[in-house]
Amino acid sequence: MLAHSTSCSGRLTTKHSKSCDEPPSECKTVQLRRCKSLTTKQWRRNSPRSAAHTTEWEALSAALTAAFALTGKVSPDHPAAAALAAANHARLARELRGRANWVPGEYTRVPLLSGSGFDVLLLCWSPGAESPVHAHSDARTGVKSNCFMLVLENALVETTYERAQVHQTEVERGAVSGAGTARALTAGTCGYICDDLGVHKVGNATAKGSLSLHVYAPGWVAVSLYREVHGEVDAGGAPIDVDAWGDF
């Protein structure tokens, strides 16, 4: 209940729709009229509509922070995966669209959050944009990372190569051979990969821009790229700085 000063000449009243059949004491649509003696802090803390002011991104940020505070042992079943799965992707897309950075024919990365043991990035995929095949361990330190992904808008295609298809000695800087396993990722779809599972590439094969949210645990400075022996992409397999490309 709102604390109201007995010395205040103002009144704390309610506004109830005449068309509602419920009594004001039980109606969930009753709106409080603010007394001027209430501080902003009191109002925000007690207002029945305060929860509506929490954005989807704020809620997800808090959930991810709590997830990594709970455990630093990252796996496909980490609480961060559940946090992403529970998020409303459509709301996230609407809220984060204003932060997007679009470059024709390319994809870009926009840092959103750097937490303890994880980084969150917004990836903006222009039509036809595709990443090279890449790993997820830091190429300089050897520290293994994990990638959780949530498609926010439109669709992407992920092509995965198993560890047996990765040939570190076939060419000087690494290559993958054979056909990878491709799957369509529509809006709302989650994904996970780490180097124990293999390497992958992601692309937008549609005529519209796509948005995706990526969580890296931990973050990295550089990752290794792989040349596709029978593919169209020839990334050379060289380590690449995080600031030089979009998400990997």
Side-chain angles (χ1 to χ4, degrees):
M1 179 177 293
L2 285 169
H4 185 247
S5 173
T6 56
S7 62
C8 177
S9 59
R11 299 179 63 186
L12 186 62
T13 61
T14 60
K15 181 181 179 182
H16 184 245
S17 173
K18 295 180 180 179
S19 61
C20 179
D21 296 329
E22 296 288 339
S25 61
E26 299 179 12
C27 177
K28 295 181 180 180
T29 63
V30 169
Q31 297 179 356
L32 291 173
R33 288 181 177 175
R34 180 180 179 181
C35 167
K36 293 182 179 180
S37 70
L38 290 172
T39 65
T40 300
K41 186 176 181 180
Q42 287 174 321
W43 179 256
R44 288 178 176 172
R45 182 175 65 246
N46 295 289
S47 172
R49 297 197 298 173
S50 61
H53 297 296
T54 301
T55 67
E56 191 71 16
W57 168 239
E58 289 172 341
L60 178 58
S61 298
L64 289 173
T65 300
F68 285 100
L70 185 64
T71 175
K73 186 176 181 180
V74 184
S75 70
D77 299 322
H78 190 273
L84 280 180
N88 187 312
H89 70 276
R91 289 179 183 173
L92 281 171
R94 290 194 297 269
E95 294 172 3
L96 299 176
R97 199 174 291 139
R99 303 193 192 186
N101 177 29
W102 298 101
V103 178
E106 300 179 14
Y107 65 102
T108 64
R109 50 182 291 277
V110 180
L112 296 178
L113 175 65
S114 182
S116 179
F118 71 100
D119 291 327
V120 184
L121 288 82
L122 175 69
L123 278 299
C124 313
W125 306 82
S126 294
E130 183 181 65
S131 76
V133 179
H134 57 275
H136 290 86
S137 292
D138 194 300
R140 298 178 181 177
T141 65
V143 175
K144 290 185 177 182
S145 183
N146 303 262
C147 175
F148 298 90
M149 178 171 60
L150 170 62
V151 180
L152 303 181
E153 191 169 71
N154 200 21
L156 294 169
V157 175
E158 177 190 35
T159 304
T160 305
Y161 295 86
E162 297 179 356
R163 292 183 62 185
Q165 295 177 270
V166 181
H167 305 282
Q168 296 288 355
T169 59
E170 184 171 336
V171 294
E172 182 180 357
R173 293 177 175 174
V176 292
S177 62
T181 302
R183 67 166 182 149
L185 305 175
T186 56
T189 303
C190 293
Y192 169 86
I193 192 170
C194 67
D195 287 359
D196 289 339
L197 299 178
V199 296
H200 76 169
K201 66 177 180 178
V202 178
N204 178 10
T206 76
K208 300 195 304 181
S210 298
L211 289 174
S212 59
L213 199 69
H214 297 240
V215 180
Y216 299 99
W220 42 263
V221 176
V223 293
S224 294
L225 306 184
Y226 295 88
R227 174 176 173 267
E228 293 179 90
V229 174
H230 300 294
E232 297 178 357
V233 178
D234 186 359
I240 188 165
D241 290 338
V242 66
D243 290 332
W245 292 80
D247 155 336
F248 302 108

